Amino acid sequence: MTDAIRLKVMPQFPSKVTGGTGIEIDKEDGEFTVELDYSEFLPELAAYVPDPNVVALIWNQVTGIFKLVPLTMLGGLSDAPADGTLYARRNGIWTPPAVSDLTDASWTPWVPSWTWGSPGGTPATFVTNTARYKQIGKSVWFQADVTITSLGVGNSAGLLFTTPVSIRPGTNLIGSGREAVNTGKQLQVSAASGSQGSALTFDNASPATLPVNSRYQFGGFYEAA
């Protein structure tokens, strides 16, 4: 009778572990550690140009599934070219703005309504000679020229006019001008409300105290609502 011999083999597994691109394998006391090897990745990009062929690995923490997604699907804006040129975002791309976008907005006619801050028993009569404004973004410039052909009775306080665009709350309207026919007095112009400006003489007197047929020419600037 032949005795049976049993052998117990302790294989070394794995006998060899090799990391792929960007993967580093470290072994210490028989324990293998697998981790990313950042030294095998390309240097960080100075600027990213959207490319549907460039993808990112994302992970759904609920399903545990990893997926490759083109970076163009992740949204966000790319940086403007770093070449010393001023760029604006238009139609999804960076484009140098035209000079007209910044400085050449056209003047637009405007029909203001005129009244007094404290109207009296008989209203005054106003004739608008010219009125126009220009708006670039939230910035509004205006010019007005009006003649008071009848002062009325009992009118006082500032000469009020409707603005071409509403004034931003919490901001002011800044302007100046002069009476161009009778006295030559300077005018100060400020905001009376969100949609009205007010003109007074330089010494805070009402223009209603000036002679009939006085002509007021003024302009100013404010931030639109």
Side-chain angles (χ1 to χ4, degrees):
M1 182 175 181
T2 303
D3 293 333
I5 299 176
R6 295 183 177 181
L7 298 177
K8 185 175 181 181
V9 179
M10 300 292 293
Q12 292 185 355
F13 180 82
S15 58
K16 182 178 182 182
V17 178
T18 303
T21 303
I23 302 298
E24 180 181 359
I25 306 297
D26 293 322
K27 179 182 179 183
E28 184 176 353
D29 298 330
E31 180 177 347
F32 291 87
T33 302
V34 181
E35 59 184 355
L36 291 175
D37 184 357
Y38 294 98
S39 65
E40 295 189 10
F41 294 99
L42 294 175
E44 181 180 350
L45 294 174
Y48 170 66
V49 178
D51 184 347
N53 295 315
V54 177
V55 298
L57 182 65
I58 63 173
W59 174 59
N60 187 316
Q61 61 181 356
V62 175
T63 64
I65 296 176
F66 288 87
K67 291 185 178 181
L68 293 175
V69 177
L71 289 183
T72 52
M73 293 181 60
L74 299 181
L77 298 178
S78 62
D79 291 333
D83 56 8
T85 302
L86 175 66
Y87 286 90
R89 193 77 175 175
R90 175 177 294 176
N91 296 328
I93 60 174
W94 291 107
T95 305
V99 174
S100 59
D101 292 338
L102 303 176
T103 62
D104 197 27
S106 60
W107 287 95
T108 302
W110 146 58
V111 182
S113 296
W114 306 92
T115 187
W116 296 110
S118 295
T122 304
T125 303
F126 306 93
V127 175
T128 302
N129 302 308
T130 60
R132 63 179 189 163
Y133 75 99
K134 173 188 291 192
Q135 181 171 1
I136 301 176
K138 290 287 188 178
S139 300
V140 180
W141 291 262
F142 67 93
Q143 298 175 352
D145 182 335
V146 59
T147 299
I148 303 180
T149 56
S150 173
L151 294 175
V153 177
N155 299 301
S156 61
L159 173 60
L160 303 185
F161 60 93
T162 53
T163 55
V165 179
S166 295
I167 304 169
R168 180 180 177 183
T171 64
N172 204 348
L173 175 155
I174 304 298
S176 61
R178 65 186 295 268
E179 194 287 312
V181 174
N182 293 308
T183 65
K185 281 193 173 183
Q186 289 183 315
L187 300 175
Q188 53 175 311
V189 185
S190 60
S193 67
S195 59
Q196 282 187 315
S198 174
L200 291 166
T201 61
F202 71 96
D203 54 356
N204 290 326
S206 170
T209 62
L210 300 183
V212 69
N213 290 323
S214 290
R215 185 172 180 175
Y216 304 103
Q217 298 173 330
F218 56 85
F221 165 84
Y222 63 93
E223 182 180 357

